[in-house]
């Protein structure tokens, strides 16, 4: 067995282990980092994406912030959304310029690995059978690497191997106090290769629980929604996710649901709102009802948020071959061509995509100073 010595033996090359290794290096302290997974696995592992200001400041101060500075997406605010309404929290304004930054944990890990390699200090991937001993006398880490057994004698061991690692259960009885709170739900995370439809994060509470709209980059969206903690991932096929019906349509007709989302959108505001149904209501497929309702909800939210209208009317018209929904307001209007480019603000692209998903089309008529009319027409045969 080969015997080595170091000041700090670090188990785990996640963000904690790598950051600690670099901090120690900057202070002239020796360390060895041992990771049981391959390098590519550690870099590709999808996890966090949101860095608080303190983390960004630390990365910059340590000289490993070039990536986060050039590729991170700085957000000065975020949205909290509940009861059908979205509220923006301007964090930079409220905290004297502090923000959050969207930058994938895997990018942070990649930057830290590069920094570690540049220092020429030891970092070993695919270390097998890692174990720690002598924690209350002379700490040692034993492991196998490249087919040989090693013993690393340390002044200190830093257990940075996460919740399921070997260090946590190795702490002597009585030296560890666990504070734990388990919540009766889990989050299902989706990584989608699609341009984010909002420029800032949206934390939502709705009838089905929590949901988070987030992103990883200008072309990758990250979404979470609440599921039971023991949910099997097999249940969530792509189709099951697309088929998620909004709770507003559960046990309610479309006109009823439109009245409900409209009333919520204008609540506490000096805006009058009405829904008018034309033609003989007919049952449409759940997908058509769902998309029409969500288009309407987006149009109502936009009208209230950007248009300052006094009145909003929703017209639902059933024809023999198609169903249309029109959301008209007398607000300040806008230039639709400009809104198409500012997708994050007006959700025009997402309304168009919703209409297209049920073979329908969306038109927007608006002029600055002259109100807005959003119309979706969808075939029902
Ligand atoms: C889906 C998800 C989303 C998240 N989103 C966010 C977010 O947006 N913002 C945020 O701040 N946090 C977020 N987190 C939390 C964040 O990912 C963790 O806090 C972070 O990974 C903890 O870093 P760590 O280095 O302590 O542990 P880990 O990242 O778990 O790293 C531990 C390392 O130790 C290695 N290891 C394990 N056992 C051994 C062993 N026996 N020998 C050697 N090596 C071993 C592992 O392979 C791993 O590389 C999220 C977590 C998840 C799962």
């Amino acid at each position: 067995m080969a015997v080595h010595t170091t000041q700090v033996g670090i188990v785990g090359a996640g963000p904690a282990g790598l950051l600690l290794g670099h901090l120690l290096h900057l202070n002239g302290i020796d360390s060895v980092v041992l990771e049981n997974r391959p390098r590519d696995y550690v870099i590709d592992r999808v996890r966090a994406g949101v860095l608080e200001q303190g983390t960004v400041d630390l990365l910059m101060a340590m000289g490993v912030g070039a990536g986060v500075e050039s590729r991170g997406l700085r957000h000065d605010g975020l949205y909290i959304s509940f009861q059908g309404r979205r509220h923006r929290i301007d964090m930079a304004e409220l905290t004297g310029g502090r923000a959050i930054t969207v930058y994938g944990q895997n990018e942070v890990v990649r930057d830290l690995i590069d920094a570690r390699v540049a220092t020429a200090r030891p970092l070993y991937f695919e270390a097998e059978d890692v174990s720690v001993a002598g924690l209350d006398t002379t700490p040692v880490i034993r492991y196998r690497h490249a087919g040989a057994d090693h013993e690393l004698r340390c002044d200190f061991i830093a257990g940075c191997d996460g919740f399921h690692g070997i260090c946590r259960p190795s702490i002597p009885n009585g030296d560890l106090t666990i504070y734990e709170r388990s919540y009766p739900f889990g989050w299902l995370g989706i990584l989608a290769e699609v341009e984010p439809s909002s420029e800032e994060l949206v934390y939502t509470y709705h009838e089905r629980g929590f949901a988070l709209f987030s992103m990883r980059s200008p072309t990758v969206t990250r979404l979470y929604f609440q599921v039971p903690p023991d949910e099997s991932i097999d249940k969530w096929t792509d189709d099951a996710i697309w088929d998620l019906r909004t709770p507003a349509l559960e046990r309610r007709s479309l006109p009823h649901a439109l009245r409900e989302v409209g009333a919520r959108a204008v609540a506490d505001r000096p805006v009058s709102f009405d829904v008018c149904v034309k033609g003989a209501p007919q049952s449409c497929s759940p997908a058509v009802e769902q998309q029409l309702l969500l288009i309407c909800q987006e149009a109502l939210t936009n009208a209230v948020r950007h248009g300052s209208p006094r009145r909003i009317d929703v017209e639902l018209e059933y024809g023999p071959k198609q169903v249309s929904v029109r959301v008209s307001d007398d607000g300040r209007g806008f230039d639709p061509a400009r809104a198409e480019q500012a997708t994050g603000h007006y959700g025009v692209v997402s309304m168009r995509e919703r209409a297209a998903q049920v073979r329908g089309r969306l038109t927007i008529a608006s002029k600055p100073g002259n109100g807005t009319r959003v119309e979706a027409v969808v075939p029902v045969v």
Side-chain angles (χ1 to χ4, degrees):
M1 173 171 314
V3 177
H4 321 266
T5 57
T6 188
Q7 286 174 285
V8 184
I10 300 175
V11 184
L18 291 165
L19 206 73
L20 174 64
H22 202 65
L23 278 171
L24 293 173
H25 162 75
L26 294 175
N27 287 281
I29 299 170
D30 243 13
S31 68
V32 173
V33 183
L34 298 168
E35 165 64 48
N36 64 353
R37 300 284 195 166
R39 178 187 174 130
D40 287 349
Y41 178 92
V42 172
I43 291 177
D44 291 341
R45 185 166 42 195
V46 173
R47 280 198 176 162
V50 174
L51 301 181
E52 305 298 333
Q53 186 68 51
T55 307
V56 174
D57 291 347
L58 179 62
L59 292 172
M60 304 294 283
M62 289 168 64
V64 287
V68 69
E69 193 176 25
S70 60
R71 297 194 303 281
L73 307 174
R74 181 188 153 97
H75 290 188
D76 285 334
L78 54 80
Y79 292 99
I80 295 180
S81 175
F82 54 94
Q83 296 183 339
R85 300 262 289 268
R86 214 181 257 189
H87 308 266
R88 184 167 188 272
I89 311 291
D90 191 334
M91 290 186 313
E93 166 96 18
L94 293 166
T95 62
R98 294 171 75 76
I100 56 164
T101 303
V102 173
Y103 189 62
Q105 179 170 319
N106 50 332
E107 298 290 335
V108 174
V109 165
R110 188 199 310 271
D111 295 347
L112 289 168
I113 290 175
D114 288 349
R116 177 77 185 182
V117 170
T119 66
R121 299 224 187 239
L123 162 60
Y124 300 119
F125 291 97
E126 300 180 65
E128 298 168 63
D129 301 329
V130 180
S131 64
V132 295
L135 295 186
D136 37 14
T137 51
T138 310
V140 292
I141 306 177
R142 296 195 180 92
Y143 60 99
R144 271 184 79 69
H145 188 250
D149 290 323
H150 298 264
E151 181 175 293
L152 181 64
R153 296 185 183 158
C154 320
D155 295 340
F156 297 94
I157 293 175
C160 300
D161 50 347
F163 186 81
H164 302 288
I166 45 105
C167 289
R168 193 168 175 268
S170 309
I171 295 174
N173 277 343
D175 286 353
L176 182 67
T177 309
I178 298 174
Y179 298 91
E180 193 172 51
R181 180 155 179 183
S182 301
Y183 291 91
F185 48 77
W187 297 359
L188 186 91
I190 301 167
L191 206 56
E193 276 189 333
V194 62
E195 185 186 331
S197 60
S198 162
E199 283 172 357
E200 294 179 330
L201 309 190
V202 187
Y203 290 85
T204 302
Y205 177 69
H206 61 102
E207 292 89 331
R208 202 178 272 117
F210 171 82
L212 168 61
F213 171 88
S214 177
M215 71 281 297
R216 282 288 188 273
S217 73
T219 54
V220 177
T221 295
R222 178 73 159 158
L223 304 142
Y224 294 93
F225 62 90
Q226 185 173 322
V227 292
D230 53 354
E231 190 84 310
S232 161
I233 188 68
D234 299 337
K235 185 180 159 193
W236 291 102
T237 58
D238 285 7
D239 284 347
I241 290 166
W242 283 114
D243 285 350
L244 266 175
R245 267 169 82 72
T246 159
L249 276 167
E250 275 162 17
R251 299 179 301 278
R252 290 179 193 81
S253 66
L254 180 58
H256 188 148
L258 287 173
R259 283 193 186 94
E260 209 170 81
V261 298
R264 273 209 308 257
V266 302
D268 311 326
R269 295 182 193 253
V271 184
S272 60
F273 166 75
D274 199 16
V275 176
C276 146
V277 181
K278 289 184 172 171
Q282 51 179 293
S283 64
C284 310
S285 75
V288 166
E289 291 198 336
Q290 159 103 344
Q291 298 304 357
L292 288 177
L293 180 68
L294 292 175
I295 289 169
C296 224
Q297 193 168 337
E298 184 78 44
L300 282 160
T301 305
N302 287 341
V304 169
R305 181 135 39 97
H306 305 295
S308 305
R310 276 165 298 147
R311 181 166 186 84
I312 306 179
D313 287 291
V314 173
E315 199 174 270
L316 176 64
E317 184 171 355
Y318 291 96
K321 294 191 173 157
Q322 61 187 36
V323 58
S324 341
V325 68
R326 284 177 280 278
V327 180
S328 313
D329 71 71
D330 63 356
R332 64 166 74 104
F334 63 96
D335 176 355
R338 284 188 57 207
E340 293 276 355
Q341 286 147 19
T343 54
H345 291 295
Y346 297 95
V348 174
V349 169
S350 78
M351 287 194 285
R352 279 205 199 294
E353 284 173 355
R354 289 193 181 288
Q357 259 176 40
V358 283
R359 298 183 299 124
R361 62 172 202 281
L362 185 102
T363 47
I364 299 175
S366 185
K367 260 213 296 224
N370 267 333
T372 300
R373 191 173 85 154
V374 175
E375 180 180 51
V377 182
V378 175
V380 287
V381 286

